[in-house]
């Protein structure tokens, strides 16, 4: 799912590629600027193929895809 709702239901999240590096962002449904949730800083031959929040909304898991899958867990994001 490339655009799931944030756990609080007040924003949608999406994957945005800037300068060859993909990160997860959220856009408030009530308006305002988007906020970057992940901090990948290097371009790679992989892309973010999936994102999912934990049930409590405190963690975000992302899958980076190429020909194989790498799964990361990101904690303490804002």
């Amino acid at each position: 799912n490339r655009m799931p709702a944030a756990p609080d239901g007040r924003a949608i999240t999406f994957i945005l590629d800037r300068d060859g590096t993909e990160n997860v962002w959220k856009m408030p449904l009530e308006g305002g600027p988007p906020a970057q949730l992940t901090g990948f800083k290097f371009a790679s031959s992989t892309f973010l193929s999936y994102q999912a929040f934990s049930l409590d909304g405190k963690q975000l898991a992302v899958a980076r895809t190429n020909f194989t899958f790498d799964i990361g867990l990101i904690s303490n994001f804002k």
Side-chain angles (χ1 to χ4, degrees):
N1 189 350
R2 295 202 37 111
M3 289 188 80
D8 62 8
R10 298 175 61 192
I12 58 168
T13 60
F14 58 96
I15 296 169
L16 179 63
D17 182 328
R18 287 200 170 169
D19 301 320
T21 302
E22 291 186 328
N23 279 288
V24 179
W25 292 70
K26 73 175 180 178
M27 175 69 75
L29 294 176
E30 294 180 4
Q36 187 173 337
L37 298 179
T38 58
F40 298 113
K41 299 197 183 301
F42 55 89
S44 149
S45 61
T46 63
F47 60 94
L48 297 177
S49 61
Y50 187 80
Q51 57 179 311
F53 288 95
S54 62
L55 292 176
D56 63 8
K58 294 181 180 180
Q59 297 177 319
L60 174 66
V62 296
R64 294 184 73 169
T65 305
N66 192 343
F67 292 107
T68 59
F69 289 91
D70 294 324
I71 297 175
L73 180 62
I74 300 162
S75 299
N76 301 320
F77 61 89
K78 295 181 181 184

